[in-house]
Amino acid sequence: MTKLDQQGYAQALVAEVLAAAEADNLTAPEAFTRRVLEDLEQAGEVENTFLAYYRAHGVEVSGYGANESLGTLDLFVSAFSLQPREEKLTRAQVDALFKRLTSFIRRCAAGLARDVDESSDVHDMCVVVEKALAETPRIRLFLITDMVSSVPAFSAAELDGLTVTHEIWDLQRLYRLATSGSLTEPIVVDFDPPIPCLSTPADGRGYNVILAMMPGQDLSDLYGLAGTRLLELNVRSFLQTKGGVNRGIRDTLLHNADDFLAYNNGITATASSVDLVTLPDGGQAIRQIRELQIVNGGQTTASIHYAHTRDKADLSRVYVQMKLNVIPADQIHNLVPKISRFSNTQNKVTLVDFSSNHPFHVAIEKVTRSLWAPAADGSGQETRWFYERARGQYTDALALERTPANQRRFKALHPVSQKLTKADLAKYIHSFGQLPHLVSRGAEKNFREFMLALGDNTPDIDVRYCQRLIAKAILFKAADRVVAARDFGGYKINIVAYTVARLVHAAGRRIDLDRIWKEQRISPALTRALDDLCGPVREVIIRPRRGTHVGEWAKRLECWDAALEIEWDVPDDLAAELTAEPVEDAASAEVDVIHSTNVATVIEIPATDWFAVAGWAKETQNLQPWQRQLAFSIGRYLSNGWQVTERQAAQAVHLMDEAEQLGFQRSG
């Protein structure tokens, strides 16, 4: 990559940030922070992030997050420049920004929340930080900037007994992430001392297999640093290790650590390359692994980490058998899904490929690349919506247009405002699909839930499907502008998602998506309806029940239940625009059959069984909290005769199957 490439990226980044700030009524630093946090969340670097800007004397923070995989509290501060190519972030500036973040933590510990308006997102942030200080083992401080930092790394420290690590995401690092062509920065692991191993001889098969005994402490430390980034090519592990600890593994580590190697099946991993060294006795050892991914044994890895960090298990005598498949980078996405699939045949699971090569995303890209959107401004100039199936595709496509004139033409035909990412797609579909509580869980978690519900049931992706998908994007973006204009002061993404979902519910899914596509905008009647509805929706969101704070309340199905209780009817002018029948996404009936089957399965199970599985899961600490909440809500829906949505049904069927595998027995 040349310096000019990076300069072009910096220029495009500033332009996109300014465009987003104007469109969404944000300041440029806020738009920049949101953009980077979304990228980092999709990359698996962070989880569950929220914008919340606060600045006072000696204190500054731009956002926060709670990483459930690593058990960390994450805090962010940003430094945005309109001229990133001409400015550098000095050591003094880096020191000052991290110091301001640290001061914010101390202020939170001293009760800053009591001095902040309870209806603001800053108040939620203060509450989360104050609570986390008593529970989290580690704090991560992030400095994000579009300038080049003169400090490549920043040493760890301690704050009142807690480990504090520092991460700097500057222009160079953001550029590498955007143009790497992969979902994340590659994981590179160094071993000192090297790990003894056995390696197959080179025989032209195109890959190599290495067997080794991984020290348990090394594996725990690795998961502590990389988290679920280690598991991206193993979707089963990626879905199931979120905070989960296998009790059998935990008990063995705490009481029979010497026997762990005999009891456990070990892990299967992949890498693009491995550096081997020769030992004094003539054997070989692993010195470095590049692009490490664990494709089987994700729960083992997470459980070892949690047993060590939460239960203080001694790992000094623990070893884990590792089968390491060394696969050339150009073959990883072809071979790894098969390795993962055949390594996990002992359990009945739905394998979902989160990678960009999933057939659903490939099909969306294929159709949208040749799909022209009608001219919306009266100029007669048609445009395209650019679906970014892989990270950095838009930037790469722009770079291929060598001259400034060609680049201007490309932007005119593919406006930045019409770029869609995979996370965007899941957000629009779930909002229209009446799952705003999933959208409120953040980009990464929402995308995971979307892919889990999709499974292997890829719908028939045709022109009409993509037109209606883009119409959902136009609707969401319009709702975002409406809510931003109200200047509510916080929780905009939650209010937007819930407003769209509640509107779709009130309209009986009869929003005319075809008209939105043809006009490339929503109608005045629809705009007025969104403006009228977003106020009552906000009141539901900022007044949580059961003593939780707003950010957590919006993630719960109960919040959506509360939004459904809002007394609101479709205005007459909008009612006149609705379609006669509910609008479906796909042209074929295949998806409808799948959805109908899921809904029928849910309805066939008595409400008492849904209540029972919720109680059983709570007593046994099985399933995730949101799954227990979903089971209880399904019981309520069936008891009250309410309609269960297709995606609720898909998730409910999945959780019931999982519960029965774990020992739950239905009454029938």
Side-chain angles (χ1 to χ4, degrees):
M1 298 295 179
T2 66
K3 183 177 180 181
L4 181 60
D5 292 328
Q6 182 171 297
Q7 289 180 347
Y9 168 77
Q11 184 178 9
L13 177 62
V14 171
E16 290 182 25
V17 166
L18 294 178
E22 182 178 359
D24 298 334
N25 196 28
L26 298 172
T27 65
E30 287 174 334
F32 171 70
T33 303
R34 184 183 68 177
R35 157 70 185 268
V36 174
L37 292 189
E38 288 176 351
D39 287 347
L40 295 182
E41 194 159 343
Q42 290 181 59
E45 299 285 349
V46 298
E47 291 180 6
N48 204 20
T49 61
F50 297 92
L51 283 179
Y53 182 74
Y54 178 76
R55 181 184 174 96
H57 180 68
V59 174
E60 186 173 2
V61 61
S62 303
Y64 68 105
N67 193 311
E68 296 177 5
S69 301
L70 303 179
T72 62
L73 168 68
D74 298 338
L75 292 170
F76 307 90
V77 65
S78 61
F80 177 71
S81 171
L82 292 174
Q83 298 176 316
R85 293 174 294 169
E86 301 175 10
E87 297 185 44
K88 277 197 173 185
L89 201 64
T90 66
R91 175 73 191 219
Q93 290 173 308
V94 171
D95 289 341
L97 287 167
F98 277 132
K99 184 177 180 180
R100 295 175 74 83
L101 264 185
T102 304
S103 297
F104 172 73
I105 297 173
R106 295 188 185 280
R107 290 281 304 276
C108 288
L112 177 61
R114 294 190 294 270
D115 301 326
V116 178
D117 181 5
E118 292 187 4
S119 66
S120 71
D121 45 12
V122 173
H123 178 270
D124 267 6
M125 176 171 59
C126 295
V127 171
V128 168
V129 173
E130 185 175 356
K131 181 181 178 183
L133 291 177
E135 301 174 353
T136 186
R138 184 157 60 102
I139 299 173
R140 299 193 300 173
L141 304 184
F142 289 77
L143 168 56
I144 56 179
T145 179
D146 62 337
M147 294 177 278
V148 174
S149 172
S150 58
V151 184
F154 204 92
S155 59
E158 279 200 359
L159 177 66
D160 297 334
L162 294 176
T163 300
V164 179
T165 59
H166 305 77
E167 291 207 31
I168 301 173
W169 282 84
D170 68 346
L171 177 64
Q172 292 178 332
R173 196 172 179 189
L174 292 173
Y175 172 69
R176 287 197 301 269
L177 181 64
T179 58
S180 66
S182 64
L183 291 177
T184 67
E185 285 195 316
I187 297 173
V188 179
V189 187
D190 293 301
F191 296 98
D192 186 15
I195 300 176
C197 67
L198 293 175
S199 175
T200 57
D203 57 5
R205 66 168 57 92
Y207 65 91
N208 188 26
V209 178
I210 298 173
L211 300 179
M213 297 298 166
M214 171 83 82
Q217 188 63 60
D218 287 356
L219 191 59
S220 173
D221 293 344
L222 180 58
Y223 187 82
L225 291 174
T228 53
R229 290 175 56 214
L230 278 170
L231 315 174
E232 286 170 340
L233 297 182
N234 174 5
V235 175
R236 173 177 172 270
S237 292
F238 190 77
L239 291 173
Q240 296 183 358
T241 58
K242 290 295 189 178
V245 179
N246 181 289
R247 292 186 178 181
I249 293 177
R250 175 182 177 274
D251 290 343
T252 300
L253 291 170
L254 291 176
H255 307 298
N256 303 98
D258 287 343
D259 298 328
F260 184 84
L261 182 60
Y263 294 165
N264 188 264
N265 290 330
I267 64 175
T268 301
T270 64
S272 63
S273 63
V274 174
D275 286 346
L276 299 177
V277 296
T278 301
L279 298 173
D281 62 2
Q284 291 184 308
I286 301 172
R287 181 175 61 187
Q288 185 184 79
I289 302 176
R290 284 182 287 277
E291 296 193 56
L292 177 65
Q293 284 283 295
I294 295 174
V295 296
N296 185 27
Q299 192 172 53
T300 291
T301 304
S303 296
I304 289 174
H305 173 72
Y306 293 130
H308 176 62
T309 56
R310 296 176 182 174
D311 301 311
K312 310 304 179 185
D314 181 6
L315 303 180
S316 61
R317 297 172 61 85
V318 173
Y319 287 86
V320 181
Q321 174 183 297
M322 176 176 67
K323 176 185 175 184
L324 180 61
N325 301 276
V326 184
I327 303 171
D330 60 351
Q331 298 183 38
I332 282 181
H333 288 288
N334 292 326
L335 286 179
V336 170
K338 296 178 182 178
I339 295 173
S340 179
R341 183 181 298 272
F342 294 125
S343 297
N344 283 289
T345 55
Q346 71 273 20
N347 289 321
K348 179 184 177 182
V349 295
T350 301
L351 294 177
V352 187
D353 182 8
F354 270 82
S355 76
S356 301
N357 294 325
H358 189 283
F360 177 81
H361 300 296
V362 172
I364 294 289
E365 179 191 41
K366 182 178 180 180
V367 174
T368 55
R369 286 295 186 269
S370 59
L371 181 62
W372 288 98
D377 56 2
S379 65
Q381 175 63 65
E382 295 179 323
T383 58
R384 286 194 177 118
W385 287 74
F386 192 100
Y387 183 60
E388 198 170 53
R389 177 172 62 86
R391 182 179 304 278
Q393 280 186 317
Y394 186 92
T395 302
D396 291 343
L398 179 62
L400 291 175
E401 305 294 336
R402 299 295 183 182
T403 67
N406 286 343
Q407 290 185 348
R408 287 193 297 271
R409 182 176 182 276
F410 178 87
K411 289 182 178 180
L413 297 179
H414 307 86
V416 173
S417 60
Q418 292 180 194
K419 182 181 75 171
L420 302 174
T421 67
K422 294 189 295 295
D424 291 333
L425 177 146
K427 177 172 62 178
Y428 304 146
I429 291 177
H430 274 174
S431 295
F432 195 89
Q434 301 171 55
L435 296 170
H437 55 292
L438 297 185
V439 178
S440 296
R441 291 173 186 169
E444 180 198 0
K445 290 185 178 180
N446 182 58
F447 179 72
R448 187 187 312 119
E449 295 299 336
F450 170 74
M451 293 302 296
L452 176 62
L454 182 67
D456 293 326
N457 303 317
T458 302
D460 183 15
I461 308 298
D462 55 13
V463 169
R464 193 173 192 187
Y465 182 95
C466 291
Q467 288 175 341
R468 290 181 171 179
L469 174 59
I470 292 171
K472 293 174 185 177
I474 295 171
L475 173 61
F476 189 96
K477 288 171 173 283
D480 189 276
R481 291 191 294 271
V482 168
V483 173
R486 296 290 294 272
D487 196 20
F488 286 135
Y491 310 109
K492 186 179 71 167
I493 181 64
N494 313 105
I495 298 172
V496 172
Y498 272 85
T499 300
V500 171
R502 185 65 179 85
L503 178 67
V504 172
H505 181 273
R509 291 182 62 90
R510 293 187 295 129
I511 302 295
D512 193 344
L513 296 178
D514 295 332
R515 174 179 175 177
I516 294 176
W517 162 258
K518 291 174 183 176
E519 298 181 357
Q520 290 292 291
R521 60 169 65 92
I522 66 173
S523 68
L526 192 48
T527 301
R528 289 190 293 270
L530 290 168
D531 187 60
D532 182 54
L533 182 56
C534 68
V537 165
R538 175 182 179 268
E539 293 303 307
V540 168
I541 291 175
I542 67 171
R543 286 175 170 74
R545 301 173 184 176
R546 300 188 181 183
T548 186
H549 61 78
V550 177
E552 289 301 317
W553 164 244
K555 302 173 192 174
R556 297 184 177 181
L557 190 59
E558 292 97 327
C559 185
W560 174 233
D561 290 341
L564 290 175
E565 296 172 2
I566 295 173
E567 295 185 2
W568 189 85
D569 295 320
V570 176
D572 292 341
D573 56 349
L574 177 58
E577 299 178 359
L578 301 181
T579 59
E581 300 293 334
V583 176
E584 302 299 340
D585 293 329
S588 73
E590 178 184 357
V591 176
D592 297 337
V593 171
I594 294 168
H595 286 166
S596 298
T597 300
N598 285 328
V599 173
T601 300
V602 169
I603 294 174
E604 287 174 0
I605 301 173
T608 53
D609 280 352
W610 292 107
F611 290 131
V613 74
W616 168 85
K618 184 175 183 180
E619 292 174 3
T620 61
Q621 292 299 299
N622 282 310
L623 305 183
Q624 296 294 323
W626 69 266
Q627 290 178 303
R628 300 196 292 266
Q629 296 165 4
L630 174 61
F632 185 84
S633 294
I634 291 293
R636 286 186 58 222
Y637 273 51
L638 296 180
S639 297
N640 295 325
W642 298 344
Q643 180 182 358
V644 177
T645 68
E646 291 90 347
R647 293 201 180 277
Q648 284 175 325
Q651 293 174 329
V653 169
H654 175 80
L655 80 84
M656 185 62 78
D657 287 343
E658 185 176 344
E660 290 180 326
Q661 291 176 32
L662 294 171
F664 174 73
Q665 294 183 345
R666 288 156 48 185
S667 60

